[in-house]
């Protein structure tokens, strides 16, 4: 595989923390970001040794700013600064410096001058066996496109001067990057990769705060990377992501997330096997929550059909919906199982994408379910057919209920700093695609939700996060997870949390006659939602009815649902 590299600016912590995290995640190299070096109390020699001890190399030093097209009187200072950085690079043991296009107000709009000055700097670098990778910043004063930076590199015509192509700067301006493939590969000195959501905002702010790892955003990273590799470029794929959340997240996790993005981008993965649906969802239950969850399941028409042979795990069933209650775990969705055409291949793909394999905890006599752990701690099992049911002894109860047909989707709440990581994980490991996304103001802060699904929508997951780290005012417990159950008759569902009359008045004003359930519609059909109270402040059941091929998840109703659940909890706490 192509070498992988990560800029220290992507990660959080001291330079030492960042280097360790990059090495632990399996990167080959790093880009040392100047600010991170300046802030470090280690000497360049210490850093060089540390990098080598960790099995890394420093493939780039960056950035060098405001070099080209300087007014000639200022160029002497540029040259002095540049020589000092070459000395520093020699001490660090790296040979490539990134020069980004000038932004200084006094920069001259003169390509010939820019080329002359860069040629001069390239001569100085070449004397030391070093080279310059010139990058067009999307907000550069006069040079802001890759075409323009290439024109200057071509004009300067020096073997120690080449291009740095940064996906963000290119794709922020254009989707027509195809001509990059025609560049001579030996003039592309460095490739930086960053994705981003599509945001209509100032490009510098967009770049400095919202970059993401490849396949986490909406830019065409796959196509762009293919175009650059088609030139014959043989350097590393290097991640350079400025992101407010990653800057304060655990660097070890971020580094694994980062490397997963490069693995997912390199298309030589085990193909994701077809998934046939959610075989079961497993809830942890505690003495305080088990009876409540059992009561809700009964009310919803489930039967306790099986008891695990060796563990305190109950199987509850109705239609094709199967829920395990595991008395050995904290109250939460602790696992779910997916029907896979090839469970072994599903697990292989997951481990290629750095998913933690789950140690085999089942006894010999029990079904050998292949499983991995997702970044949010949820265990994901892959199974084929009903063999797993052999672990359960029948209780004699039969699942005669007709209210619920199947599990519609699982709502996996994520901590605020895991959203992009979780989305990339589930999407890439399971070979699923993004579905509806939404952002809404909930009672305790802005929430963001993304649903992902397989082709035939037999597996749907919705991931939700608070947009910001929660303050002290919000309830201390993270927002709950949920299992959403599909019914064909929502009017038969009873004893769910009351929905405020104001909500139905609003529906009526919109011409919708509905008096019992939350309501949504899309171009295909309509949706009705009811829900239980939150149990143990961690999980609840939702029941939905889809009419006429509605495809969404009713995200817009989430604030009403949250407020209603909160109201219900306060009312029952005060005995009301
Ligand atoms: O935001 C910046 O200034 C900046 C600096 C160096 C880079 O390589 C880059 O892509 C952006
Ligand atoms: Mg860059």
């Amino acid at each position: 595989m192509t070498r992988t590299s990560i800029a220290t600016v992507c990660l959080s912590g001291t330079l030492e923390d960042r280097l360790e995290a990059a090495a632990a995640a399996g990167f080959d190299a790093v880009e040392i970001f100047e600010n991170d070096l300046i802030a470090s109390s280690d000497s360049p020699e210490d850093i060089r040794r540390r990098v080598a001890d960790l099995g890394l190399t420093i493939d780039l030093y960056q950035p060098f700013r405001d070099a080209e097209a300087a007014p000639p009187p200022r160029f002497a200072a540029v040259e002095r600064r540049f020589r000092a950085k070459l000395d520093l690079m020699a001490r660090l043991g790296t040979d490539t410096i990134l020069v980004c296009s000038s932004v200084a107000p006094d920069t001259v709009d003169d390509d010939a001058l820019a080329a002359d000055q860069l040629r001069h700097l390239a001569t100085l670098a070449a004397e030391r066996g070093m080279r310059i990778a010139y990058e067009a910043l999307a907000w550069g004063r006069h040079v802001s496109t890759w075409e323009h930076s290439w024109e200057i590199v071509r004009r300067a015509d020096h073997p120690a001067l080449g291009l740095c192509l940064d996906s963000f700067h290119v794709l922020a301006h254009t989707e027509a990057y195809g001509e990059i493939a025609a560049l001579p590969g030996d003039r592309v000195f460095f490739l930086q990769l960053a994705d981003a959501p599509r945001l209509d905002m100032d490009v510098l702010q967009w770049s400095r705060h919202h970059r993401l790892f490849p396949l986490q955003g909406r830019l065409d990273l796959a196509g762009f990377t293919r175009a650059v590799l088609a030139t014959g470029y043989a350097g590393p794929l290097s991640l350079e992501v400025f992101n407010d959340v990653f800057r304060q997240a655990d660097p070890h996790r971020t580094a694994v997330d980062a490397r997963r993005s490069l693995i997912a981008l390199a298309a030589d993965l085990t193909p994701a096997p077809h998934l046939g649906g959610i075989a079961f969802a497993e809830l942890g239950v505690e003495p305080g929550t088990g009876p409540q969850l059992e009561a809700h399941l009964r009310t919803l028409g489930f039967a306790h059909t099986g008891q695990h042979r060796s563990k305190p795990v109950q199987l509850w069933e109705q239609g094709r919906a199967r829920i395990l209650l595991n008395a050995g775990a904290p109250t939460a969705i602790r696992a779910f199982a997916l029907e896979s055409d090839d469970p072994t291949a599903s697990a292989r793909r997951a481990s290629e994408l750095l998913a933690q394999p789950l140690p085999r905890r089942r006894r010999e006599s029990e079904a050998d379910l292949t499983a991995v752990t997702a970044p949010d701690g949820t265990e994901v099992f892959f199974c084929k057919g009903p063999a797993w049911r052999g672990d359960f002894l029948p209780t004699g109860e039969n699942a005669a209920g007709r209210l619920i047909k199947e599990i519609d989707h699982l709502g996996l709440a994520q901590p605020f700093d895991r959203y992009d990581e979780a989305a990339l994980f589930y999407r890439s490991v399971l070979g699923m695609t993004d579905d509806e996304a939404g952002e809404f103001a909930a009672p305790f802060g802005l929430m963001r939700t993304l649903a992902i699904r397989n082709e035939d929508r037999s597996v749907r997951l919705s991931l939700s996060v608070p947009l910001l780290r929660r303050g002290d005012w919000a309830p201390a417990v993270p927002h709950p997870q949920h299992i959403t159950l599909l019914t064909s008759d929502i009017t038969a569902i009873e004893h769910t949390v009351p929905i405020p009359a104001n909500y139905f008045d609003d529906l009526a004003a919109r011409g919708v006659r509905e008096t019992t359930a939350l309501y949504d519609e899309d171009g295909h059909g309509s949706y009705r939602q009811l829900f239980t109270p939150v149990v143990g402040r961690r999980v609840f059941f939702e029941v939905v009815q889809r009419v006429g091929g509605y495809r969404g998840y009713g995200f817009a109703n989430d604030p009403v649902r949250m407020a209603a659940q909160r109201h219900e909890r306060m009312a029952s706490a005060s005995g009301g």
Side-chain angles (χ1 to χ4, degrees):
M1 187 180 159
T2 321
R3 283 164 61 74
T4 58
S5 160
I6 185 168
T8 54
V9 72
C10 301
L11 301 168
S12 169
T14 62
L15 182 56
E16 173 73 356
D17 295 330
R18 299 176 197 219
L19 295 174
E20 252 174 37
F27 282 95
D28 303 298
V30 291
E31 299 178 19
I32 298 276
F33 218 72
E34 181 153 278
N35 293 339
D36 299 328
L37 174 115
I38 291 172
S40 171
S41 6
D42 297 331
S43 70
E45 290 79 8
D46 289 340
I47 294 168
R48 174 186 197 152
R49 253 191 311 277
R50 187 65 191 134
V51 164
D53 288 349
L54 289 165
L56 296 165
T57 58
I58 301 173
D59 283 17
L60 188 78
Y61 181 79
Q62 76 137 331
F64 191 84
R65 299 186 189 273
D66 293 322
E68 95 286 14
R74 175 158 76 66
F75 192 67
V78 171
E79 182 179 333
R80 191 174 340 111
R81 185 160 56 93
F82 190 72
R83 286 180 186 273
K85 297 305 170 186
L86 295 179
D87 290 343
L88 169 65
M89 287 165 61
R91 296 172 67 191
L92 282 171
T94 186
D95 67 1
T96 306
I97 184 167
L98 180 151
V99 170
C100 53
S101 58
S102 296
V103 298
D106 66 356
T107 306
V108 187
D109 187 5
D110 181 344
D111 287 359
L113 179 67
D116 278 351
Q117 291 176 338
L118 284 174
R119 186 187 312 108
H120 180 67
L121 297 180
T123 310
L124 301 179
E127 282 167 9
R128 321 207 33 174
M130 295 177 182
R131 56 185 200 156
I132 297 172
Y134 179 51
E135 172 192 64
L137 294 179
W139 55 89
R141 186 114 195 140
H142 301 298
V143 177
S144 60
T145 64
W146 73 267
E147 291 96 333
H148 199 172
S149 59
W150 170 237
E151 170 58 22
I152 290 170
V153 165
R154 218 186 38 73
R155 251 180 202 249
D157 191 24
H158 192 286
L161 178 68
L163 282 182
C164 170
L165 293 173
D166 178 322
S167 61
F168 180 88
H169 296 298
V170 175
L171 300 175
H173 275 312
T174 177
E175 284 173 22
Y177 54 77
E179 284 175 33
I180 282 179
L183 286 170
D186 59 351
R187 308 317 310 278
V188 182
F189 284 3
F190 212 76
L191 170 58
Q192 292 181 318
L193 297 175
D195 203 340
R198 284 270 167 215
L199 298 173
D200 194 3
M201 68 187 293
D202 172 71
V203 66
L204 182 146
Q205 297 298 331
W206 184 24
S207 175
R208 295 253 175 100
H209 299 278
H210 300 283
R211 287 190 183 204
L212 292 167
F213 295 121
L215 308 179
Q216 291 181 335
R218 282 284 171 274
L219 307 184
D220 183 9
L221 267 286
F224 176 84
T225 306
R226 247 183 279 120
V228 177
L229 293 178
T231 66
Y233 170 77
L237 303 184
S238 191
L239 298 166
E240 189 203 31
V241 167
F242 309 87
N243 178 293
D244 297 344
V245 173
F246 299 160
R247 275 186 199 281
Q248 62 182 47
D250 173 348
H252 281 267
R253 295 188 68 109
T254 308
V256 170
D257 182 29
R259 220 169 88 75
R260 177 175 300 123
S261 76
L262 289 182
I263 295 168
L265 196 62
D268 54 357
L269 281 173
T270 299
H274 174 261
L275 299 174
I278 298 174
F280 64 78
E282 179 173 333
L283 290 174
V285 297
E286 295 157 287
T289 60
Q292 290 179 62
L293 287 165
E294 288 173 31
H296 287 311
L297 287 173
R298 284 259 179 244
T299 306
L300 293 173
F302 279 79
H304 175 199
T305 56
Q307 188 65 42
H308 198 277
R309 290 170 188 277
S310 62
K311 294 188 188 137
V313 180
Q314 302 177 348
L315 168 60
W316 289 73
E317 281 187 273
Q318 183 176 188
R320 289 188 303 277
R322 299 163 206 111
I323 294 172
L324 310 189
L325 300 184
N326 184 336
T331 305
I333 297 181
R334 70 177 258 109
F336 59 86
L338 300 176
E339 276 288 342
S340 166
D341 281 2
D342 185 346
T344 312
S346 288
R348 189 178 326 119
R349 177 181 173 90
S351 85
E352 286 165 4
L353 286 161
L354 310 179
Q356 289 298 313
L358 192 69
R360 219 185 118 166
R361 3 157 243 160
R362 315 259 159 182
R363 298 190 331 190
E364 280 314 307
S365 63
E366 296 166 352
D368 180 16
L369 293 168
T370 328
V372 296
T373 308
D376 55 18
T378 308
E379 297 172 1
V380 183
F381 292 89
F382 299 106
C383 60
K384 189 172 186 178
W388 62 271
R389 299 175 59 131
D391 291 351
F392 293 87
L393 295 170
T395 57
E397 277 191 44
N398 77 34
R402 293 267 177 276
L403 285 178
I404 301 298
K405 298 203 292 193
E406 61 191 21
I407 294 178
D408 183 88
H409 65 273
L410 300 174
L412 303 174
Q414 307 290 321
F416 95 99
D417 56 352
R418 301 283 167 71
Y419 177 79
D420 297 296
E421 175 188 6
L424 175 63
F425 177 89
Y426 285 115
R427 202 195 282 129
S428 62
V429 166
L430 304 177
M432 307 218 292
T433 50
D434 286 5
D435 209 351
E436 187 180 330
E439 237 176 54
F440 52 86
F444 296 99
L446 207 61
M447 301 288 297
R448 175 193 281 175
T449 311
L450 170 71
I452 58 177
R453 61 168 177 87
N454 66 346
E455 322 90 277
D456 62 6
R457 296 185 162 78
S458 61
V459 179
R460 295 188 252 222
L461 304 174
S462 84
L463 310 174
S464 60
V465 291
L467 220 61
L468 301 173
R469 191 193 290 279
R470 292 202 150 187
D472 296 340
W473 148 246
V477 175
H479 61 291
Q481 303 176 309
H482 61 272
I483 297 179
T484 297
L485 303 162
L486 184 69
T487 183
S488 46
D489 182 10
I490 199 95
T491 61
I493 305 295
E494 294 177 343
H495 303 299
T496 51
V497 175
I499 293 161
N502 295 343
Y503 175 82
F504 296 118
D505 288 347
D506 178 62
L507 283 184
R510 288 154 51 195
V512 177
R513 205 137 23 106
E514 168 63 55
T515 52
T516 50
L518 298 176
Y519 176 88
D520 191 29
E521 60 189 24
D522 63 11
H524 304 278
S526 64
Y527 193 58
R528 283 173 183 75
Q529 307 163 262
L530 290 172
F531 43 89
T532 70
V534 179
V535 175
R537 306 180 76 179
R538 290 298 287 130
V539 292
F540 66 93
F541 297 112
E542 181 187 41
V543 183
V544 301
Q545 181 176 5
R546 293 178 183 269
V547 177
Y550 173 88
R551 294 186 177 171
Y553 300 76
F555 291 154
N557 289 322
D558 282 4
V560 179
R561 191 255 307 150
M562 289 177 191
Q565 285 172 325
R566 172 79 172 168
H567 178 78
E568 189 278 341
R569 198 172 80 77
M570 301 317 268
S572 61
S574 65

